[in-house]
Amino acid sequence: MEIYSDDDYNPKSKRSAITVISVIIALFQFPYVFLESSFHSLVFCWLSLLLLLFFQIFIYTRFGMNFLKNRVFSQSVVLSYVMIAFIMLILNLVILDSKKFSDPNFYMFIFLIISLVCGILTGLFFSDKGNLFSKDNIKIRNNEIELRKLEFFSVLTLKRMPFLRAPLRKLQNITTILAAFIGTGGAGIGMGIAEMLKRSDVLAPDMSVHAVLFFSLGIPVLFTFGILMYSTMTYLFEWRKLVASIDKEYGEHKIIFNSKKKSYKKIKEIMAESGSNANG
């Protein structure tokens, strides 16, 4: 239960933002389901579109609004949802021209899935759960959880490869490091794979240009999203474990959002002046 917040978090505004993003992606997805294509291509396109539709229906229900009010839970899920929506869009653009399970488009589709899985495994390798809830961002007092900052990517670390710290010490954020490293080389890797397939006659000379283009761009994007999704879901899982342990010990938990890093004494004074434990 949230008892204090020093910002103007509005679930309805968050819902509107999600809708705008979903509509934009859906506008790209919608025409594909009516194209003349193979059964497996159309099935994947329909699944992508239905994902957007069902999530939109959900957030406009009473349960969806309660979900959005749970700030930590909803923001981590929504962040993953947006990444998944973009992943599905890229995969659609590659598999759309696939006629059978053994054609070039389907091979590129599989390579993209492998890139996503490799990203998740990389996130697992470059992770340390001890970094998740630092004392600077979260403080626990009995059944009260004071959150100063939501760091969904704080699990990522270079501890397992400390020799990378020196050349990258000027880059403070591990996600910036990964994006710079992957973004500069990933597209080249994708183009290299496409060129290799073409030279080996797996890709036909008349291969769809847009499929090869999105395949080349999709390699680094899906790899990066795999890393970020692992970090986000790890944060959510550990957060739910923390809340469950507090609920088990005290019967309930209370959340204080203190992004401006006010003193605990000041927060208590504000709450006392408000005459209740409502949001500040």
Side-chain angles (χ1 to χ4, degrees):
M1 178 180 65
E2 180 179 327
I3 62 173
Y4 173 85
S5 176
D6 61 1
D7 60 18
D8 297 324
Y9 177 76
N10 188 336
K12 291 185 178 180
S13 298
K14 180 69 66 175
R15 183 174 64 183
S16 299
I18 297 169
T19 300
V20 170
I21 294 173
S22 299
V23 168
I24 292 174
I25 298 176
L27 289 175
F28 287 96
Q29 298 271 26
F30 188 72
Y32 300 147
V33 300
F34 297 104
L35 295 178
E36 292 185 4
S37 189
S38 63
F39 176 77
H40 65 273
S41 299
L42 290 177
V43 167
F44 191 81
C45 291
W46 271 107
L47 288 175
S48 304
L49 189 61
L50 291 175
L51 169 67
L52 298 172
L53 178 62
F54 287 154
F55 194 77
Q56 284 307 298
I57 293 174
F58 170 71
I59 63 174
Y60 280 90
T61 64
R62 178 170 57 88
F63 300 106
M65 182 53 64
N66 291 333
F67 158 76
L68 292 173
K69 288 178 179 178
N70 191 333
R71 196 185 310 197
V72 179
F73 180 54
S74 65
Q75 288 194 19
S76 57
V77 172
V78 167
L79 180 58
S80 296
Y81 160 76
V82 172
M83 288 189 284
I84 291 173
F86 277 107
I87 288 171
M88 299 290 273
L89 176 61
I90 293 172
L91 291 174
N92 279 336
L93 292 169
V94 172
I95 201 175
L96 187 65
D97 295 326
S98 175
K99 304 302 181 184
K100 53 185 180 180
F101 289 117
S102 59
D103 64 11
N105 288 79
F106 192 77
Y107 289 143
M108 291 192 294
F109 174 81
I110 295 301
F111 269 115
L112 288 175
I113 297 295
I114 293 173
S115 178
L116 176 64
V117 173
C118 288
I120 294 173
L121 294 177
T122 301
L124 173 62
F125 181 79
F126 286 100
S127 66
D128 181 3
K129 293 182 180 179
N131 291 347
L132 274 176
F133 303 125
S134 69
K135 294 181 179 179
D136 293 331
N137 295 330
I138 185 170
K139 294 184 181 296
I140 301 174
R141 305 177 184 88
N142 297 323
N143 68 333
E144 286 185 356
I145 306 173
E146 179 188 340
L147 275 172
R148 295 184 172 183
K149 190 177 182 181
L150 293 178
E151 287 280 8
F152 293 126
F153 308 138
S154 58
V155 71
L156 300 175
T157 179
L158 290 174
K159 286 183 179 179
R160 293 193 177 183
M161 301 184 74
F163 60 87
L164 292 177
R165 289 183 177 178
L168 299 173
R169 61 182 179 273
K170 292 184 180 180
L171 296 174
Q172 300 297 319
N173 194 321
I174 183 64
T175 56
T176 305
I177 296 172
L178 291 171
F181 175 75
I182 297 165
T184 53
I189 292 173
M191 290 296 291
I193 294 174
E195 183 64 23
M196 178 187 70
L197 293 175
K198 182 178 290 187
R199 289 180 181 275
S200 63
D201 295 328
V202 175
L203 288 184
D206 59 347
M207 182 67 191
S208 171
V209 175
H210 85 270
V212 176
L213 174 62
F214 281 101
F215 167 73
S216 302
L217 296 176
I219 289 287
V221 171
L222 267 66
F223 186 85
T224 305
F225 279 177
I227 295 173
L228 300 183
M229 284 176 59
Y230 173 82
S231 179
T232 304
M233 288 296 97
T234 300
Y235 187 99
L236 174 60
F237 179 74
E238 294 299 319
W239 168 260
R240 290 177 68 84
K241 281 177 58 178
L242 173 64
V243 170
S245 65
I246 293 176
D247 286 343
K248 183 177 180 180
E249 183 174 356
Y250 295 98
E252 65 173 354
H253 68 277
K254 299 177 181 179
I255 300 177
I256 296 173
F257 286 97
N258 183 22
S259 61
K260 297 178 182 178
K261 298 184 178 180
K262 298 175 184 175
S263 68
Y264 184 67
K265 181 179 179 181
K266 181 64 176 178
I267 292 174
K268 285 297 185 181
E269 290 176 354
I270 294 173
M271 292 173 61
E273 290 174 2
S274 69
S276 68
N277 282 343
N279 293 345

